[in-house]
Amino acid sequence: MSGVETITLGCRLNIAESEAIRAMAGDAGDLVIVNSCAVTNEAVRQTRKAIRRARRDRPDARIVVTGCAAQTDPAMFAAMPEVARVLGNREKMLPESYDFTGHGRVRVSDIMAVRDTAPHLATGFAEHARAFVEVQNGCDHRCTFCIIPYGRGNSRSAPAGAVIEQIRALVDQGYGEVVLTGVDVTSYGPDLPGEDGLGRLVERILRHVPALPRLRLSSLDSVEIDDRLFALITGEPRLMPHLHLSLQSGDDMILKRMKRRHSRAQAVAMVERIKTARPEVAIGADIIAGFPTETEAMFENSLALIDDCAIVYGHIFPYSPRAGTPAARMPQVAAPVIRTRAARLRAAAAARRDAWLASLVGSRQRVLVERDGKGGHAENFASVRLADPIAASAHGRICDLAVIGADAGQLIAKGVA
């Protein structure tokens, strides 16, 4: 194998950026670009593992490491003999970074000085039926466990006009679904002229790109869902009935020690409001197990949140201290306890998901077909496997399917006669 290959770890924003990088570095020769994640120590370990595997698989290729882990600890990756260049999150979006006739081996600038976002506007997503569009980057909040602001910088928003033009171009290429991504998507807008917020951006996208069948939002902060965005989530059929919320804990004391901006009651009340107005909305959430000082009673509050917020997509993180964050200096929970609590949260979330999927058997779902006609995702983001694969030409199409079963975290469906 030769040419440019991207290896993406972490969030949907990285997926969007990797596509832009692939296009930008297309004539850079024999190159592997590892777009890293720094959200946990495990994510950093997986990045290092991916680098070593890339060297084994492609011994003659240059390996470039970028992304949040490279931004926050460039020296660690520069010390790896497999690595030809380390790029920061700003530098990875510059075409000259992939010119090896000049420039230094480590190119990482002060991310806090960056003021723009989405200058690249990717034009296609070769391996996905859904397109991921960056509308926001960075974060102004300083949760005590999180290193990401130091990898992404302060919050900044892409101009609505540029976002709309990008989405229009993607729809013209045949994409049936667009996902709006960012580090803190619900903080979209205050740095732009006028009264723009995420709700206003969604309204403008739906109005100006009428041919877009499906619009999906990535992770949201529940406390930042205002009335305009709430009305769209609950009343706009082209906005998919699936929300992933950044909840992190179900205990008020832990939330305060995390410096989160919502209480447990506020999170539960928001989900109840949404589900009352649009019952088919499927809820996902990030939850951290074993945050410093977490007692068994505090953990039980997080465990109960799975049911209290009807969470069917649980994204469970075992807490790991990140150097430089306030939480790393707090009294730590023993590692075996963290692992046990994470396993219990995952089991509870899986049980809730499986019961929900079973309740959908016998229903009809509109599915965006992916993976060469072998499966896809429903509007509620349930993973769907086709009992009988349909033509590969159906890739990227939205099909009405009958759900005939559920197994291994997936719905099983067939075409409607």
Side-chain angles (χ1 to χ4, degrees):
M1 180 179 179
S2 61
V4 176
E5 175 189 1
T6 55
I7 298 172
T8 307
L9 297 98
C11 64
R12 290 174 175 175
L13 180 56
N14 263 10
I15 294 173
E17 291 177 339
S18 287
E19 294 293 341
I21 291 168
R22 190 203 308 271
M24 190 184 307
D27 59 356
D30 198 2
L31 187 64
V32 177
I33 302 166
V34 180
N35 197 5
S36 68
C37 176
V39 71
T40 63
N41 288 335
E42 176 61 18
V44 176
R45 189 186 74 81
Q46 289 295 330
T47 297
R48 292 172 61 86
K49 183 178 178 181
I51 293 166
R52 291 190 291 267
R53 184 170 59 247
R55 169 56 68 231
R56 291 194 302 271
D57 293 345
R58 296 182 61 182
D60 297 326
R62 289 189 177 102
I63 297 176
V64 174
V65 184
T66 186
C68 290
Q71 178 72 45
T72 56
D73 195 352
M76 176 179 66
F77 295 104
M80 295 182 69
E82 299 90 348
V83 175
R85 178 165 286 177
V86 181
L87 299 175
N89 269 329
R90 177 179 182 275
E91 286 72 22
K92 73 182 180 183
M93 305 314 304
L94 301 176
E96 59 266 29
S97 294
Y98 305 97
D99 176 2
F100 287 85
T101 60
H103 310 293
R105 183 165 177 264
V106 178
R107 303 188 66 217
V108 180
S109 61
D110 179 7
I111 196 67
M112 295 301 177
V114 177
R115 294 291 178 265
D116 61 351
T117 188
H120 41 284
L121 299 183
T123 57
F125 295 75
E127 298 175 2
H128 299 274
R130 301 188 308 280
F132 299 84
V133 174
E134 176 183 332
V135 301
Q136 182 274 341
N137 206 330
C139 185
D140 289 338
H141 311 303
R142 296 296 181 264
C143 297
T144 59
F145 56 84
C146 188
I147 198 73
I148 297 305
Y150 305 99
R152 289 287 182 175
N154 293 316
S155 182
R156 50 209 189 271
S157 308
V163 172
I164 290 166
E165 285 307 309
Q166 184 182 6
I167 292 173
R168 185 178 288 122
L170 290 164
V171 171
D172 288 345
Q173 292 175 52
Y175 288 93
E177 179 174 308
V178 167
V179 185
L180 302 186
T181 69
V183 174
D184 183 24
V185 175
T186 33
S187 71
Y188 177 89
D191 55 318
L192 298 174
E195 299 292 325
D196 278 3
L198 182 60
R200 175 70 174 139
L201 175 66
V202 169
E203 286 177 347
R204 292 180 67 182
I205 291 168
L206 294 173
R207 181 186 314 120
H208 293 294
V209 194
L212 172 67
R214 292 164 52 144
L215 184 65
R216 195 180 298 277
L217 303 177
S218 62
S219 184
L220 305 181
D221 195 331
S222 62
V223 77
E224 291 183 323
I225 298 175
D226 60 16
D227 289 344
R228 176 176 248 150
L229 184 56
F230 179 88
L232 289 161
I233 290 168
T234 55
E236 173 51 63
R238 292 162 64 202
L239 190 61
M240 294 297 92
H242 160 238
L243 295 179
H244 193 90
L245 303 177
S246 179
L247 299 183
Q248 310 304 347
S249 176
D251 182 82
D252 282 336
M253 181 57 70
I254 292 297
L255 289 168
K256 287 181 180 178
R257 289 170 180 165
M258 289 177 166
K259 287 189 70 174
R260 299 295 296 166
R261 291 166 301 124
H262 69 272
S263 68
R264 186 186 206 283
Q266 286 173 320
V268 172
M270 176 57 72
V271 171
E272 287 178 346
R273 280 184 65 207
I274 290 169
K275 295 283 284 183
T276 297
R278 193 177 182 184
E280 70 269 26
V281 173
I283 303 295
D286 297 328
I287 302 177
I288 294 174
F291 185 82
T293 76
E294 184 185 72
T295 64
E296 183 64 24
M298 293 170 175
F299 165 73
E300 291 289 343
N301 285 333
S302 287
L303 191 64
L305 198 68
I306 301 288
D307 287 331
D308 293 345
C309 285
I311 295 167
V312 295
Y313 301 113
H315 197 180
I316 310 303
F317 293 88
Y319 174 79
S320 60
R322 303 296 284 121
T325 61
R329 301 190 294 271
M330 297 178 184
Q332 303 292 302
V333 176
V337 174
I338 293 176
R339 288 193 294 270
T340 298
R341 290 177 182 174
R344 290 174 64 191
L345 282 169
R346 289 190 184 109
R352 182 93 195 190
R353 177 203 64 203
D354 290 347
W356 171 66
L357 292 175
S359 75
L360 297 176
V361 175
S363 70
R364 291 192 177 187
Q365 300 290 326
R366 290 178 55 77
V367 176
L368 179 66
V369 179
E370 307 164 33
R371 297 186 293 277
D372 295 328
K374 297 179 181 178
H377 284 84
E379 292 183 340
N380 54 27
F381 205 57
S383 178
V384 179
R385 183 172 79 247
L386 282 115
D388 300 304
I390 56 181
S393 60
H395 181 270
R397 283 175 41 202
I398 297 170
C399 299
D400 288 313
L401 300 178
V403 179
I404 59 173
D407 180 60
Q410 289 185 305
L411 296 177
I412 303 168
K414 65 179 181 179
V416 177

